[in-house]
Structure formats: structure tokens, C-alpha cells
Amino acid sequence: MSELLKIDNVTINFGGLTAVDSLNMTLTEGNIRALIGPNGAGKSTIFNLVTGIYTPSKGRIIFRGQIINKLPPHKITGRGIARTFQNIRLFSELSVIDNVKIGYHCRSRGSFIDALLRSPAIKREEAHTHERALTCLALMELADKAEEVAGNLSYGEQRRLEIARALATNPALLCLDEPAAGMNPIEKEKLANIIRKIKEMGITIFLVEHDMKFVMNLAEKVTVLDYGKIIASGTPAEVQRNPAVIEAYLGKEVV
Amino acid sequence: MDSLLTNYISPYYIKIFTLVGIYIIIALGLNFISGVTGQLSFGHAAFVSIGAYTAAILTTRLQLPFLPSLLVGGLLAAVVGILLGFPILRLTGDYLGIATLGFGEIVIVVFQNMDITGGTIGLSGIAKNTSLSLVVLVVIFTIWSMYRLENSRFGRALMAIREDEIAANVMGINITAYKIQAFGIGTFFAGIGGGLYAHMIQYLNPTDFGFSRSFEYLTFVVLGGLGSIPGTILGTTVLTLAPEFLRFVAEYRMMIYGALMVIMMIFRPRGLLGGVNLSKKIRALKNKKKTTIPSDAR
Amino acid sequence: MFWQQLINGITLGSTYALIALGYTMVYGIIQLINFAHGEIYMIGAFVGVVAVTVFQLNIFIALFVAMTVCIIIGVSVERIAYKPLRRSTRLAPLISAIGVSIFLQTLMTLIAGPQAVGFPQVINDQLYHIGSVTVSKVQVIILILASALMVGLQLIIKYLRIGKAMRAASEDYDTASLMGINVNRVISFTFALGSALAAAGGVMVGMYFNSIHPLMGVMAGTKAFCAAVLGGIGSIPGAMLGGLFLGVAEVGGVALGYGGYRDAIAFTLLILVLLFKPTGLLGRPIQRKV
Ligand SMILES: Nc1ncnc2c1ncn2[C@@H]1O[C@H](COP(=O)(O)OP(=O)(O)O)[C@@H](O)[C@H]1O
Ligand SMILES: [Mg+2]
């Protein structure tokens, strides 16, 4: 299978701190790749680099053969990378379905003039957006909440809504930043199934997670990060046995 | 039409209602910028003045017909808004507010120093072209536009920016481009309102468009319910009529007005209609009846 | 000529700085643009006039009285109009502040009338000549007083317990309150300090220009706020620097023949600074942490 995302020797500094240090990583199309590591290891920073929120101090990020690290976030989304946020960032005063429709923004058309004129073509486009949003919501088992205000959803529902919104952008690569955080075991199991379903749709998944067990049952390959550097990479079983990982990750905190 | 109305309503009330209408147009423009898109502007009155002066200069000095002049005033206000937007819409929150305030004051000083505007003496001799019926028509057009703009892909993008710029950006929205467009649209309506105002009051002075005025518009919007079209209309109406109703307290009028602002904020910090989204409510009701959600979709 | 304008600019600028400090301290802690702050300054000037003319007080005692009265008003305004709105939307306290500002302006117009009021000449018009530069006694007093007040402020913030609490709350409001700092007291104290400085600024401007007005706080307050933003809002040295910078630029602009654009100078500078340094000269950059 072909390579979808290549992080090529990427470094980012914040003042004196090197949050990500000469990182190399390649994601294979159609896989679930997990990224684990203790708090502050630089996992979210990698997502921020990949989605264009941060620009690398050094190195390149290549997506489908093209350099993307100089593009602004909205263009990167257009190229096919979507994400969720570790600290939920929904449009919390808007309805659930509007949140998802906003995700479909980059795949639809309609200027302010179209908004005023509401031509039949634009009405069709709107109807299509609506359908599409409902589909994404149904996939995340949120269809019955469509008209609710996003901020009123439960924590677990908000996490799922973030995924629905990201899916609406029609991505080739979906970056999930600790999607199971704060969920109970039953919710986690449901989420794992949903993630598998998304993978079956042909979407590559880049998964940051704290919960080792959650990752182990899901990912083909696991990469372990500590202080911005990769300390181990391999199948879940390999990584679990790696003494450096046990030292750096499991030794530090009980998950 | 208006002459017909004067048979039933006193000219004084016609004047007040016309003013309320003009303020509604202007305030809806500001609501679009600050309420819908979430970009704080403390300089809205400056765009009103650009529209007012442009339209007035076109009709008085160039003898152009009123309606095209009005439109040009609105467009020029929008152009200035867009040109200003490019550099300053990078700023966020209070910084944007204070930069727009600064810009507004600069506009006033520039008008004070120009010949064509009549400088500090002001511009007089403007024909009374603004009628209540025209204002009502423009108000309806404004409400209609705002409603359509908000309930569209375009409007959703603006609200996403208001809610969370970074998330909006990551969802594929070019935030700068959208903010600038929103600013252009909001300032367009400010300019239109300004042209109507000029041809109602018939005299313009730069000091009538200072930041106190900008804050007045902001108060209309916030007191009514930031981001809400009916709220903005209600806030504008109540606050424009309030000084009239408070006439019996004579010189204490503005004092009470100020105190009322504080009291209203304390008791309804989100505005009179804040958090009430009528159009969404209506739509939600409609949807409940119409669409049954596909349970097995995908 | 240059040095003369510089001295005049610094004199004006030091009054802006005194007002700007109140804006910046309040903003630093509760992120509120206290639009009524200009009115506190105006009231300070009026209290000063009353103290000097009606009660025949010495100007320094008058200054003290004005500061005391304004502390009471400033703290009460916070209690009544802002405190109930501390946990609400960002714009609610701002509108409340504008309401307070309108209220105080009209109140003073009712009391003192809408015209300008003369501020008696309390300092004799002695002039000092240093080379080609002429400095009046009033200017000397203003410069000394303003410096003393600013040094005093620094000492309070550095060494007093409550001053340290202020700094902590300004760094991180939530942590400070979690750590058991009485945030209400800190906020009241901040308003007290800011109001006292603004009152002093008001009395000094009265002394300097010999004329005060119920609406004098509007433009001065707004410009002082610009000074605070220009210097980096939340930063105390920033407010001082911004005030001085603005005063000098304004006086310099007028001297260069841009008198008609006097009021635009401050705002033009403000926008330029914000475009190149979005958080002001001494402001910390905004962290875009996701
Ligand atoms: N914008 C920023 N400014 C300064 N430091 C940052 C910024 N973003 C992340 N960091 C730092 O980089 C390190 C990695 O953070 P992060 O990627 O969030 O870790 P995690 O692996 O827990 O997701 C942390 O020390 C964090 O404080
Ligand atoms: Mg993280």
C-alpha cells in the first residue's frame, strides 16, 4: 500500500523548548496508526503541524506527494486532512447539524451572493449538505440530536460530534486527538467500533490516545513519542514489550 | 405616501419612526459584523459617516439623483471597510475593537480637514429625500438580506468564525476572507443608513459620527441580543424611543438612560432577546414535522 | 525648539500615563475596558476645583481629597456595575461601563453646567530657563508628582502583599483565586489604585490647562486607553511608556503644523503599532496554543 503522509525531519521550537525534534514518520494509506506518549510529549503538536496550525521550524510535511507545510489550515483541509481537538472545540452555540454542515464547507459552494439569491442550484446544494450532514451524524449515532445546541450535548456526545464534523470534510486522513478521553468503558468500546467503521470507509486514521489498551486493540502500528522524539515504533505487541517504552511511558504514569 | 401618513400621524412621530428605521439598518449592519461574525467594532459610526457624506456630496455638489447616490455611499463605505479589513482583521477581540475605534476617529478628523465636506462647519443644504416609506422598504430589504445571509453556507462560516476561529479554519474556512466579506457587508448597510440619515437630517457634521455614536450602535445590538435580528431591531427601537419617553424627566433623561443600560445589562446580560433564536426555533419546528431522520443512513 | 516640545510632550504624556495605568491594571486582571475610567479622571478634576475654590484648600491637599473621592467612586462603580457581570459575556460589562460613563457625564453636567469651568491658577507662573528651554513651575510640579505617583505604584505592586496578589491575579486569574487570593479584594484595590491615579491626572490637567469640562474625560480617557494598548495592555511599564510616547507624538505633531489632525495622531500611531506588534510595544505575544 502507498504512503499517504510523510513527516520528514520536522522540528518545532517554542522559545527554548523543542516540542518536536527531527521527527520522521510515514503513514500508510488505509491503516490506523497510533501515536502514544506521556503528557507533553508533543503528540498534539504533531497534529497542529500536520493540519497547518503550526509551521515547522525545520523539515517538510508531505501529503499525497505534495509539500503541505506552507499551506494555511483551510487549504490543508481541502487537500483531505481532517482532525478533532483534544480540548473539544465545537461551535458550541450552534446546532449539532450546523456544526457538521460547517465541516462540509470545503466540499460545497455558495458565496454571499448565492446566499441572497438562493438559486435552485444553491437550494440543491443546501439540500445535499443537509443529507450529507445527517449521514455523518447517523454514523456517529447522533442523528436524533441534530437540532440540539452543540454545547448542550454530553461530553461523550461532543467528542463524537467532533468526529462527525471532521468526517464531513470528506478526508483521506483523519487525525483523532485523544477521542476516548473522559469516556467510560462502554462508550470506549462503541468508539472503537466506530473508528473501525471509518477505516472500512477507506479513511486513514492517525490516532493519538492515552489509553494503551484502547490503542492496542485498534492500531496496526504504534509509535511512541517522548520529549518530541520517537523512542519506539512497531506493532502493538512489539511496542508493549519494548523496555524503553515501559521506562518512558508506563513507568511515568499509570494509565 | 408620507404626505398621506401625515394626515394620521404627526410629523414629529414620522421623524422619530424614520430615525428608528435608519438606526435599525445601521445596527443590523453592526450586528452582522459583531453579532454574527464575532468581530468587535467600535468604529461603526465612521462607516455611517462615509455613506452619509458620500451620498450628500453626490446629491448636493454633483446634483446626482438620490437613490444612486445612496447606493454609491453604501458601496464606498463597504470598499473602505474592506480596505481597512485587510490589515486590521488580523487583530482579535478588544484589539480589533480599539483599532476600529481609532480608525473611526481618524475618519472624523479627516472629514474635519476636508473642503468638500465643509470641514468643521459641516455640510448643509442637503435635500430632504428620505421618506418614511423609503426607510421602511430599506429596512425590509435589510432584514431579508440578513436572514438569507445568516441561513446559508456563507452565514454558517461566519458563525463558525465567531464560535472558534481555529476550529473554523481547520474545517476549511478561509477566516480572513470571510471576515473581510462580513465587514464589507456590515459597513455597506452602515453606509446606506448614513445616506438615508443625511437626507433626513439635511445637515452633517463630523462630530456627529464619533465613537460615542459607535458605542450607541453597539449598545442597540448588545442590549437587544447580540447576534439576533429581532433582538437588534427591538434593542434599537427601545433605545431610540427611550429618550423620547424619558422627556418628562427632562434634564435627568440621559442620566436615567445610562443607569438603565447598567440595570438592563445586570438583569439580562445577554440582551433582551439574547439566546433566543427565533428563526432556528421555527426551523426546528418545521423540521420535526417534515423530515424523518434516516435511521439506517450509511 | 526640540527640547522644548519634548518637555511639553512629556508633561502632557505623564497625565495620559496616569490615566492609562488605571485602564491597564483593570484590563490586566478582569479583561474589561473600563470606559467609565475617563469619567473618574473628570470627576477628579472637578473635586480638585471645588476643594481649591470652595474650601480654599492647598493644592496638594486638594489633590489628596480628589484622589480619595475618586477611590470611593471608582470602587463603588465596580461593585455596582461590573461585579454582577463578572461571569457573563464579554460585552455585557463593556456596555455597563458605557452606561456608567453616560451617567457620570450627565450627572456632572447637571451639577456643574455644560460649559467649561475655570481652574484657578494655584501655582504661580514662574518660569525656569535651562538653555533655550523654558519650563513652567506647573510643569515641574506635574512631572515630579507624576513620577512620584508612578514610583509609589511600583513600590506598592512590588512590596505590598496586596500588590503581589494583584500581579498574581494579572498573570493567571483562575490560579490566583484557587490559591486562596481574595480576588474581590484585589479587584477593588485595583480600581482604587487606578481611580486615585486618574484623579491625580485630572487635577494636574486642570492645573496645567486652567480649564475643565464635564466631557473632558471622553477624549482624554480614550486617548489614555490608546496609550495603554499602545504600550501593551496589562503591562504597567507599557502604560507609562505609551502615555509618554503619545504625549510627545501629539505635541510634536502639533508643533510640526498638523494641529488640525491633533486627535488623529494618537489613533494613527495606535493602529500602526498594533499592525506591527499586535499586542503593543511591551505586551507579551498572544500564545496560540491549541
Ligand atoms: N503554542 C505553544 N507555545 C509554547 N509551547 C507549546 C505550544 N504548543 C505546545 N507547547 C509545548 O509543547 C510540548 C508538547 O505539547 P503537546 O504537543 O500538547 O503534548 P501532548 O503530547 O500531551 O499532546 C509541551 O511542553 C507544551 O507545553
Ligand atoms: Mg495533547
Side-chain angles (χ1 to χ4, degrees):
Chain A
M1 269 196 264
S2 67
E3 90 182 24
L4 184 67
L5 180 81
K6 189 178 159 99
I7 299 171
D8 180 18
N9 204 26
V10 164
T11 298
I12 185 165
N13 306 305
F14 297 113
L17 176 91
T18 304
V20 172
D21 192 356
S22 315
L23 188 91
N24 286 295
M25 221 172 150
T26 305
L27 264 64
T28 309
E29 207 167 341
N31 273 5
I32 297 179
R33 163 68 75 92
L35 182 63
I36 63 173
N39 247 329
K43 306 179 297 292
S44 297
T45 303
I46 293 177
F47 276 14
N48 288 334
L49 287 162
V50 169
T51 52
I53 291 173
Y54 297 160
T55 2
S57 312
K58 224 180 66 202
R60 299 182 306 168
I61 298 170
I62 298 161
F63 180 66
R64 287 170 156 171
Q66 286 173 318
I67 298 176
I68 59 164
N69 52 277
K70 289 201 175 68
L71 296 179
H74 61 270
K75 291 232 167 101
I76 293 180
T77 311
R79 297 281 175 96
I81 302 181
R83 71 172 289 179
T84 65
F85 296 92
Q86 181 180 348
N87 315 306
I88 298 172
R89 300 188 80 124
L90 288 170
F91 308 119
S92 48
E93 296 209 346
L94 305 186
S95 69
V96 166
I97 192 152
D98 275 354
N99 269 270
V100 185
K101 284 180 180 175
I102 289 163
Y104 197 59
H105 181 90
C106 58
R107 305 288 170 226
S108 56
R109 298 160 48 79
S111 66
F112 76 87
I113 295 179
D114 294 323
L116 288 173
L117 300 182
R118 267 194 203 166
S119 65
I122 286 301
K123 277 190 188 155
R124 275 197 300 278
E125 178 97 48
E126 244 333 272
H128 178 68
T129 304
H130 192 81
E131 287 302 308
R132 171 80 202 172
L134 282 178
T135 311
C136 293
L137 281 176
L139 185 69
M140 299 312 297
E141 292 165 24
L142 283 170
D144 53 330
K145 307 269 178 184
E147 296 297 333
E148 272 183 42
V149 174
N152 293 346
L153 294 186
S154 75
Y155 189 77
E157 287 168 339
Q158 293 199 11
R159 287 228 171 268
R160 279 187 279 142
L161 178 54
E162 274 231 347
I163 301 176
R165 185 178 70 170
L167 276 179
T169 68
N170 219 347
L173 174 66
L174 177 62
C175 305
L176 301 174
D177 199 345
E178 305 200 13
M183 285 186 177
N184 62 37
I186 300 162
E187 283 177 312
K188 277 185 186 176
E189 190 44 48
K190 255 167 87 177
L191 180 69
N193 286 330
I194 289 173
I195 291 176
R196 283 190 198 97
K197 241 200 262 178
I198 296 172
K199 179 193 160 180
E200 279 159 24
M201 291 160 59
I203 297 172
T204 310
I205 289 167
F206 197 0
L207 174 68
V208 162
E209 192 41 72
H210 232 74
D211 183 343
M212 271 273 211
K213 219 178 87 206
F214 185 78
V215 165
M216 297 305 161
N217 293 328
L218 215 51
E220 275 94 6
K221 195 170 169 188
V222 179
T223 299
V224 188
L225 202 69
D226 197 14
Y227 296 112
K229 283 190 169 143
I230 293 175
I231 55 168
S233 203
T235 63
E238 283 165 9
V239 166
Q240 250 169 337
R241 271 184 263 114
N242 190 316
V245 177
I246 295 163
E247 162 74 27
Y249 187 72
L250 301 173
K252 255 184 219 165
E253 45 191 310
V254 187
V255 186
Chain B
M1 175 69 182
D2 277 23
S3 51
L4 231 156
L5 274 176
T6 43
N7 292 336
Y8 303 99
I9 317 170
S10 81
Y12 171 75
Y13 281 110
I14 292 202
K15 192 182 157 184
I16 299 290
F17 289 144
T18 312
L19 205 58
V20 169
I22 292 173
Y23 286 162
I24 287 175
I25 297 161
I26 296 169
L28 283 173
L30 180 61
N31 181 53
F32 198 66
I33 297 170
S34 298
V36 177
T37 320
Q39 307 304 303
L40 208 48
S41 171
F42 296 160
H44 203 58
F47 298 99
V48 178
S49 77
I50 292 172
Y53 272 101
T54 307
I57 288 169
L58 291 179
T59 56
T60 54
R61 314 242 153 154
L62 299 178
Q63 265 82 48
L64 288 182
F66 175 52
L67 289 180
S69 305
L70 192 64
L71 191 64
V72 173
L75 290 174
L76 192 67
V79 168
V80 175
I82 290 166
L83 290 180
L84 178 75
F86 271 104
I88 75 164
L89 283 172
R90 285 184 302 134
L91 301 171
T92 52
D94 294 332
Y95 288 101
L96 177 63
I98 207 71
T100 50
L101 185 153
F103 170 77
E105 290 308 293
I106 294 170
V107 168
I108 288 177
V109 175
V110 169
F111 281 162
Q112 281 175 338
N113 283 278
M114 272 165 66
D115 287 331
I116 195 163
T117 58
T120 47
I121 301 162
L123 186 65
S124 50
I126 307 165
K128 192 166 166 53
N129 289 324
T130 300
S131 64
L132 180 56
S133 31
L134 174 67
V135 169
V136 168
L137 282 181
V138 180
V139 167
I140 292 170
F141 171 75
T142 311
I143 296 172
W144 174 85
S145 311
M146 291 298 162
Y147 181 80
R148 287 217 155 173
L149 288 170
E150 284 179 27
N151 293 286
S152 69
R153 171 180 180 270
F154 178 75
R156 279 194 303 267
L158 300 182
M159 289 187 268
I161 291 171
R162 173 190 73 199
E163 295 290 306
D164 188 328
E165 271 194 27
I166 290 176
N169 201 195
V170 168
M171 287 307 122
I173 295 166
N174 182 346
I175 42 181
T176 318
Y178 274 85
K179 279 192 209 172
I180 288 173
Q181 290 180 64
F183 212 65
I185 291 168
T187 52
F188 171 77
F189 285 102
I192 294 288
L196 290 168
Y197 178 81
H199 292 82
M200 172 198 165
I201 299 287
Q202 298 176 274
Y203 167 76
L204 296 176
N205 192 299
T207 51
D208 292 340
F209 301 96
F211 57 76
S212 310
R213 261 305 159 80
S214 296
F215 284 131
E216 222 172 288
Y217 296 132
L218 192 65
T219 308
F220 293 166
V221 174
V222 176
L223 262 174
L226 194 64
S228 147
I229 296 173
T232 300
I233 296 169
L234 183 68
T236 308
T237 310
V238 168
L239 286 177
T240 312
L241 295 181
E244 305 303 325
F245 287 134
L246 289 173
R247 275 198 191 282
F248 69 97
V249 286
E251 65 261 52
Y252 299 101
R253 194 164 66 120
M254 286 315 284
M255 228 173 92
I256 293 176
Y257 183 88
L260 275 178
M261 277 168 72
V262 176
I263 293 165
M264 278 162 95
M265 274 297 105
I266 290 174
F267 289 103
R268 293 222 35 113
R270 305 194 54 171
L272 294 171
L273 294 185
V276 185
N277 192 332
L278 292 180
S279 61
K280 278 272 157 59
K281 284 238 162 82
I282 293 165
R283 211 147 39 102
L285 279 177
K286 269 200 229 158
N287 279 337
K288 266 205 192 111
K289 281 187 208 134
K290 212 169 54 189
T291 50
T292 42
I293 295 150
S295 53
D296 59 346
R298 193 67 173 251
Chain C
M1 178 67 187
F2 171 78
W3 293 106
Q4 183 67 59
Q5 298 303 343
L6 189 66
I7 290 287
N8 294 347
I10 290 176
T11 314
L12 179 66
S14 60
T15 65
Y16 284 153
L18 286 176
I19 315 174
L21 284 166
Y23 280 111
T24 228
M25 289 189 295
V26 165
Y27 194 93
I29 295 179
I30 54 174
Q31 277 78 47
L32 164 71
I33 306 176
N34 178 13
F35 273 111
H37 191 57
E39 274 56 54
I40 302 289
Y41 151 88
M42 175 270 292
I43 291 172
F46 274 91
V47 174
V49 162
V50 171
V52 177
T53 55
V54 180
F55 296 100
Q56 299 284 319
L57 294 177
N58 169 288
I59 183 69
F60 296 103
I61 300 175
L63 188 76
F64 181 76
V65 172
M67 288 166 80
T68 314
V69 171
C70 284
I71 287 176
I72 295 167
I73 296 176
V75 172
S76 317
V77 164
E78 193 275 323
R79 278 291 151 93
I80 296 166
Y82 308 152
K83 194 176 168 202
L85 292 169
R86 220 174 270 163
R87 290 280 163 203
S88 73
T89 59
R90 298 274 275 116
L91 279 179
L94 196 77
I95 298 297
S96 189
I98 296 169
V100 172
S101 165
I102 294 175
F103 180 86
L104 294 176
Q105 276 165 29
T106 19
L107 180 66
M108 192 52 86
T109 313
L110 282 177
I111 297 172
Q115 324 80 3
V117 175
F119 199 105
Q121 194 179 9
V122 283
I123 311 288
N124 63 34
D125 48 6
Q126 191 182 346
L127 298 176
Y128 305 98
H129 300 276
I130 310 155
S132 63
V133 181
T134 310
V135 188
S136 68
K137 192 171 174 184
V138 179
Q139 282 183 313
V140 174
I141 291 179
I142 289 177
L143 289 173
I144 292 176
L145 268 179
S147 317
L149 288 170
M150 288 191 230
V151 170
L153 176 69
Q154 288 291 17
L155 294 178
I156 289 175
I157 289 174
K158 263 224 160 79
Y159 297 109
L160 249 49
R161 252 180 82 93
I162 184 98
K164 288 181 196 163
M166 257 176 81
R167 264 189 303 161
S170 171
E171 282 284 326
D172 189 338
Y173 183 95
D174 294 320
T175 312
S177 59
L178 284 178
M179 306 239 305
I181 289 176
N182 183 342
V183 189
N184 285 332
R185 256 189 74 213
V186 169
I187 292 172
S188 290
F189 187 72
T190 308
F191 273 85
L193 276 182
S195 305
L197 294 174
V203 175
M204 288 181 205
V205 163
M207 276 161 54
Y208 193 37
F209 295 112
N210 292 320
S211 163
I212 61 174
H213 189 276
L215 299 184
M216 70 191 275
V218 179
M219 195 42 98
T222 312
K223 280 187 193 163
F225 181 65
C226 283
V229 177
L230 207 138
I233 192 130
S235 151
I236 286 176
M240 297 179 187
L241 178 73
L244 292 179
F245 185 58
L246 218 64
V248 171
E250 215 173 288
V251 170
V254 174
L256 291 174
Y258 296 106
Y261 289 89
R262 182 187 168 133
D263 285 343
I265 292 170
F267 299 113
T268 311
L269 272 176
L270 172 81
I271 293 182
L272 287 178
V273 168
L274 285 185
L275 290 184
F276 292 101
K277 222 165 162 300
T279 50
L281 295 172
L282 302 183
R284 276 170 297 182
I286 301 170
Q287 292 255 340
R288 192 174 139 140
K289 216 164 172 176
V290 180

